Amino acid sequence: MFENHFRHDFNFSVEIDIPAEASGGSQFITTIVFASMDNVLPPRNEDNSSSIVINGKVVLATTAAKIRNISITSGILNDTLGNPKCVFWNFTLFDGLGGWSDSGCSLLSHNSETISCSCNHLTSFSMLMSPEIIEDENMNDITIIGVGISMASLVICLITEALTWKKISTNTTSFLRHVSIINIAVSLLIADIWFIIGAYFRDDSKKEHPALCAVVTFFIHLFYLAMFFWMLASGLLLLYRTVFVFEGGLSKTSMLVIGFVLGYAAPLVIAVTTMAVTVPSHKYIRQNHGCWLNWEDSKALLAFVAPALVIVAINFLILLVVIYKMLRRREVRNTGQGKEQHVLVVIARSLAVLTPFFGLTWSLGIGTIIAPKNREINFAFTLCNSLQPLVVHCWFHYFSSVVCILVLLYTSKS
C-alpha cells in the first residue's frame, strides 16, 4: 500500500517509480517481475518485426490509482545488443492477440548494465486529425491549458454577446453575423467539454463501457463539425454581402434557416451516418488513446477530416475574394504610396481577423495527416487550435469594444 507516491527497488535489479500524482489517498499496487516472459509474450511489435528481442525483465504493475507517468529501471540481460527501446504490452494489437508498442514510452538513460524507461499515455489536441498519436507530456499540458482557456473565453464571449445583443444586431447583416458567432462559440464550447471527457477515458474504461465512449465520440464529432459548418455559413454570408453590397436578395428569415440547416443538420447527418456504418462492425472508435474516431480499421476519421478541410479550403477562397473586392474598392479612392501602404494595412487586417474566424489554422491538420509522427507539426496544430484562434478574435473584438466604451465615458465626464 502506498500514499500518492510509490518507489521500490526489487531484488531483481528492477526499480519502479510512480511520481506523487496518484489520487485517492492510500492505494494498493500489485507488482510481478518476470525473468523469462519472452517465452509467453513473443517479441512482436506493430510492424510484426522479427529483429526485436526482449532484453530485460518484464514488469507487471497494476493499481486502482489514477497514474499518468511511471518510470522503470531494469537490468540488461544481453549487453551485446544495441538500439534499446522502451515498450509496453498493448493488448489491442493483432486483433486482440497483443504485441509490444513504444507509443508513449521514452528512453531516459541506458548503459551496459541497466536501462531506464518512462511511460505515459496522454491525449493531445492533434488526435482530432492525426491518424497516429504522439505521446508527449508538454503537448498534453498545452492541450489541457489551451482548451481550458478556450472554454473560459467562449463563456465570456457568449455573456458579452447576450449583454450587447440589442446594440450589435441593428441590421440584417450584423444580426446574421452575430448569430453565426454565437453558434460557433456554443458548438466549440460543447465540443471542448466532450473532448476533455473523452481525453481522460482510460483504455480499461473503454473496454468496460464501449457504448459510453461511442457516445462521447459522437458528440465530439457532431459539435466540432457544427463549428466548421457555422464557420462556412459565416464565410458565405460575408461573400454574399461583399458581392451584393446593398440590402436585398434573400430575406433575413431565409438566410437564418439556411444557416441553421447548414450549421446543424449537415453535421448531424455526417455524424449519424458515420456511427451507423461503423458501429455494427465495432470499428467506430479507436482502440486506445481516448475516445475518438477509428483510423486503422475503418478510416472513420475521414468523416471529420474531409469535411473540415473542405470547409477550410472554401473559406480560404472566400478570404481571397473578400480581400480582392476590398482592394478594388480602395483603388478608386487611393493613389500613390499612400494607396500602397493602405493596401498592406487592408490585407494585414483582413488576414488577422478572418484567418481565425474562418478556422484556417486547421489547415495544419494536413501536416498531421502527411507526417503524423512529426512533433513540430503536431505541436503547432495543438497550440494553434486548442487555444482556438476564434477565441483570440473574440477577445480582441470585445476588448476593443470595452476600451472604446471606457474612452467615451471618460471624455463625456471630462
Side-chain angles (χ1 to χ4, degrees):
M1 189 170 64
F2 69 101
E3 292 274 354
N4 295 326
H5 175 269
F6 176 82
R7 181 168 187 154
H8 188 76
D9 189 358
F10 296 88
N11 295 327
F12 307 97
S13 67
V14 171
E15 181 182 283
I16 298 178
D17 183 16
I18 299 175
E21 56 184 25
S23 61
S26 300
Q27 299 286 348
F28 285 95
I29 185 170
T30 302
T31 60
I32 305 176
V33 180
F34 299 97
S36 56
M37 182 53 74
D38 57 307
N39 295 325
V40 180
L41 302 179
R44 57 171 179 249
N45 59 4
E46 293 98 326
D47 302 324
N48 204 13
S49 173
S50 59
S51 62
I52 58 175
V53 176
I54 298 177
N55 194 28
K57 302 292 193 300
V58 176
V59 179
L60 167 66
T62 179
T63 177
K66 294 181 179 180
I67 297 172
R68 191 171 71 171
N69 295 293
I70 182 170
S71 299
I72 299 176
T73 301
S74 173
I76 293 176
L77 301 179
N78 186 350
D79 58 9
T80 62
L81 300 176
N83 190 28
K85 289 185 177 181
C86 299
V87 294
F88 74 100
W89 185 259
N90 188 342
F91 288 91
T92 64
L93 294 179
F94 301 104
D95 296 327
L97 293 176
W100 296 100
S101 173
D102 61 356
S103 177
C105 294
S106 58
L107 181 66
L108 296 179
S109 63
H110 73 95
N111 51 46
S112 59
E113 296 181 353
T114 62
I115 180 172
S116 295
C117 301
S118 176
C119 289
N120 58 69
H121 295 284
L122 312 169
T123 301
S124 73
F125 203 79
S126 64
M127 83 167 188
L128 291 177
M129 285 194 170
S130 178
E132 297 185 30
I133 306 300
I134 291 183
E135 301 273 6
D136 189 287
E137 188 169 354
N138 293 327
M139 195 150 33
N140 178 73
D141 292 338
I142 291 174
T143 296
I144 301 303
I145 295 173
V147 173
I149 293 174
S150 174
M151 292 168 63
S153 302
L154 288 168
V155 170
I156 296 174
C157 176
L158 291 171
I159 293 174
T160 307
E161 285 281 350
L163 295 176
T164 60
W165 178 252
K166 292 183 179 180
K167 299 292 184 182
I168 60 180
S169 57
T170 54
N171 55 61
T172 300
T173 301
S174 178
F175 173 82
L176 293 171
R177 182 167 65 89
H178 284 281
V179 167
S180 297
I181 291 176
I182 290 173
N183 282 279
I184 291 172
V186 169
S187 299
L188 182 53
L189 178 60
I190 297 175
D192 283 347
I193 293 172
W194 283 107
F195 175 84
I196 293 295
I197 295 172
Y200 280 93
F201 252 79
R202 295 165 56 183
D203 288 347
D204 54 351
S205 300
K206 289 170 63 177
K207 292 177 182 178
E208 294 176 5
H209 309 286
L212 182 57
C213 187
V215 170
V216 172
T217 300
F218 173 80
F219 283 113
I220 295 175
H221 187 198
L222 173 62
F223 285 104
Y224 274 122
L225 277 183
M227 175 195 71
F228 277 104
F229 276 95
W230 273 107
M231 285 181 176
L232 176 61
S234 298
L236 294 175
L237 173 65
L238 179 60
L239 179 63
Y240 181 77
R241 285 307 184 199
T242 303
V243 176
F244 301 98
V245 180
F246 301 102
E247 296 286 346
L250 292 173
S251 66
K252 177 179 177 180
T253 303
S254 298
M255 297 181 72
L256 201 60
V257 170
I258 292 173
F260 275 91
V261 169
L262 187 63
Y264 290 117
L268 181 61
V269 170
I270 296 174
V272 170
T273 302
T274 304
M275 175 177 269
V277 171
T278 56
V279 165
S281 58
H282 304 286
K283 296 178 180 179
Y284 180 58
I285 59 176
R286 296 186 177 188
Q287 297 300 319
N288 46 28
H289 301 299
C291 296
W292 188 226
L293 297 172
N294 188 290
W295 172 259
E296 294 82 4
D297 303 317
S298 64
K299 300 295 185 290
L301 180 61
L302 290 175
F304 172 74
V305 172
L309 292 182
V310 168
I311 290 173
V312 169
I314 293 173
N315 279 350
F316 178 72
L317 295 177
I318 292 174
L319 176 63
L320 295 180
V321 172
V322 170
I323 293 176
Y324 173 76
K325 289 288 186 180
M326 292 175 66
L327 294 180
R328 286 296 301 269
R329 291 169 186 168
R330 299 287 181 182
E331 285 180 357
V332 179
R333 291 174 289 177
N334 300 301
T335 57
Q337 186 176 1
K339 181 194 75 171
E340 187 173 328
Q341 293 175 347
H342 198 67
V343 165
L344 295 177
V345 172
V346 171
I347 294 175
R349 183 182 177 187
S350 300
L351 290 174
V353 174
L354 297 180
T355 294
F357 191 73
F358 285 173
L360 301 186
T361 54
W362 284 79
S363 60
L364 290 169
I366 299 174
T368 66
I369 297 171
I370 298 174
K373 293 187 177 181
N374 186 293
R375 291 185 178 274
E376 288 74 20
I377 294 177
N378 278 272
F379 263 107
F381 181 91
T382 301
L383 181 62
C384 290
N385 295 307
S386 68
L387 285 169
Q388 289 302 318
L390 166 66
V391 177
V392 178
H393 166 74
C394 290
W395 270 108
F396 279 111
H397 179 74
Y398 293 111
F399 177 75
S400 60
S401 300
V402 171
V403 170
C404 290
I405 292 172
L406 292 176
V407 170
L408 289 172
L409 290 174
Y410 176 76
T411 53
S412 63
K413 289 180 179 179
S414 301

